[in-house]
């Protein structure tokens, strides 16, 4: 996944690290675009129209991604692999087509346990797979009767139960460096948190910051002033995807969509060298409580 992971587990058995590594290796083998033999890479190489039976986990993530595409009006799109590669944020950097004639996700068809491409689009789960991995690790730990832990993968977290001192798992939401904003401290008890930001992965080109967050509508990196979006949700996978969608939509449309769906979200906008913070009613109520 190109990132690190950590886990704090109360009364963890000796084989916990190996268990987590096994889960992550399985997800990488299915969903990493950087692995030529992964299931997603093999799917992307198939001729359009040819069906492929997908592993259960990959199908779960694909269906969730397609649902998110519908809910977000295409702001989250699991089939923008060509766009990601074109802008240098994926394997085969500089290759691919920067835009598509229609929303890429609509060129993916699912039938039971199989899927196919109807046009030359490619799947890219970089906006949802890390969150799924957090959920998968949490589920595996609970299946081992481990109910008190904090899991983190690449900045996406899930907390369950309490710490040994009976305090909740307190975490500070990731904030853009160089911007002064209040610390958002959250107690993760059965909750996940994911943050998308223009400072996570970017490069400077001609004095302009090119974010890894691609707007599927334009086929180019987002060009507005959203610096970070933090989402709290029971599912780390959905928190991950919603953070991407709201980042792409921008302040007005993104926060309006999040409010309609009752999501707990903080958005940070850049205003020159200053920052302005916005919260949805659901997050404000959570913090007041």
């Amino acid at each position: 996944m190109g990132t690190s992971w950590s886990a704090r587990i109360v009364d963890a058995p000796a084989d916990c690290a190996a268990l987590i590594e096994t889960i992550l290796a399985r997800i990488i083998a299915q969903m990493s675009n950087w692995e030529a033999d992964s299931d997603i890479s093999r799917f992307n190489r198939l001729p359009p129209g040819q069906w492929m039976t997908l592993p259960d986990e990959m199908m779960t993530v694909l269906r969730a991604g397609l649902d998110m595409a519908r809910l977000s009006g295409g702001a989250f799109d699991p089939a923008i692999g060509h766009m990601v590669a074109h802008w240098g944020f994926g394997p085969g950097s500089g290759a691919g087509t920067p835009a598509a004639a229609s929303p890429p996700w609509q060129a993916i068809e699912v039938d039971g346990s199989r899927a196919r491409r109807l046009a030359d689009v490619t799947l890219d789960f970089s906006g949802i797979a890390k969150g799924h991995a957090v959920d998968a690790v949490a589920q595996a730990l609970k299946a081992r009767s481990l109910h008190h832990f904090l899991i983190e993968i690449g900045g996406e977290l899930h907390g369950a139960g309490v710490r040994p001192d009976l305090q909740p798992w307190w975490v500070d939401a990731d904030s853009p460096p160089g911007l002064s904003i209040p610390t958002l401290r959250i107690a993760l008890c059965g909750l996940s948190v994911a943050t998308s930001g223009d400072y996570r992965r970017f490069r400077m080109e001609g004095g302009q910051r090119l974010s890894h967050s691609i707007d599927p509508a334009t086929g180019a990196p987002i060009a507005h002033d959203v610096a970070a979006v933090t989402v709290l949700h029971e599912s780390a996978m959905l928190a991950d995807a919603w953070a991407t969608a709201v980042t792409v939509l921008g302040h007005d449309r993104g926060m309006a969509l999040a409010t309609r769906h009752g999501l707990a979200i903080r958005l940070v906008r850049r205003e020159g060298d200053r920052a302005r913070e916005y919260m949805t009613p659901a997050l404000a109520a959570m913090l007041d409580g």
Side-chain angles (χ1 to χ4, degrees):
M1 297 181 194
T3 189
S4 61
W5 68 269
S6 64
R8 298 182 182 184
I9 305 168
V10 178
D11 297 328
D15 65 343
C16 255
L19 170 66
I20 294 172
E21 291 281 10
T22 299
I23 293 167
L24 299 183
R26 183 184 71 226
I27 293 171
I28 288 169
Q30 293 184 26
M31 304 181 219
S32 173
N33 292 88
W34 299 90
E35 300 292 332
D37 293 329
S38 68
D39 292 290
I40 196 170
S41 294
R42 291 191 296 109
F43 178 84
N44 287 338
R45 288 195 299 267
L46 287 177
Q50 183 170 331
W51 291 98
M52 176 175 166
T53 299
L54 303 184
D56 290 344
E57 274 186 292
M58 182 175 169
M59 179 58 78
T60 295
V61 174
L62 175 57
R63 288 185 180 275
L66 294 174
D67 287 343
M68 280 298 309
R70 282 186 281 269
L71 289 173
S72 66
F76 180 91
D77 192 320
I80 59 169
H82 279 327
M83 298 178 187
V84 173
H86 175 81
W87 288 98
F89 295 108
S93 295
T97 52
S102 59
W105 68 274
Q106 293 184 357
I108 301 295
E109 185 176 3
V110 172
D111 177 34
S113 62
R114 60 182 191 159
R116 65 177 177 177
R117 303 182 303 148
L118 301 178
D120 185 23
V121 300
T122 53
L123 294 178
D124 184 304
F125 290 165
S126 58
I128 195 171
K130 275 194 304 180
H132 167 74
V134 171
D135 289 339
V137 171
Q139 184 178 8
L141 294 179
K142 291 174 183 176
R144 293 281 297 272
S145 297
L146 299 167
H147 301 291
H148 304 278
F149 55 81
L150 178 68
I151 302 297
E152 179 267 335
I153 301 176
E156 325 294 26
L157 300 102
H158 179 83
V162 293
R163 303 185 323 191
D165 61 4
L166 303 184
Q167 282 288 312
W169 300 102
W170 289 103
V171 301
D172 292 345
D174 202 13
S175 296
L179 294 180
S180 178
I181 56 173
T183 298
L184 177 59
R185 184 156 293 173
I186 310 156
L188 292 184
C189 185
L191 274 179
S192 301
V193 61
T195 298
S196 176
D198 65 359
Y199 57 93
R200 284 286 187 88
R201 287 178 59 207
F202 70 94
R203 71 173 188 273
M204 300 303 293
E205 192 170 286
Q208 182 180 7
R209 178 191 299 262
L210 293 181
S211 169
H212 77 285
S213 296
I214 305 297
D215 184 348
T218 64
I222 57 173
H224 47 63
D225 54 6
V226 173
V229 172
T230 297
V231 181
L232 276 70
H233 200 285
E234 291 181 0
S235 163
M237 177 177 69
L238 295 182
D240 199 3
W242 274 116
T244 299
V246 172
T247 298
V248 167
L249 286 170
H251 168 255
D252 293 340
R253 293 188 299 151
M255 293 299 275
L257 181 67
T259 299
R260 284 202 305 274
H261 285 278
L263 299 170
I265 289 183
R266 179 184 76 166
L267 181 146
V268 178
R269 296 176 76 180
R270 294 183 186 274
E271 296 185 348
D273 58 354
R274 301 172 65 87
R276 178 171 294 189
E277 177 188 58
Y278 301 84
M279 293 185 185
T280 59
L283 179 58
M286 185 181 296
L287 297 178
D288 288 343

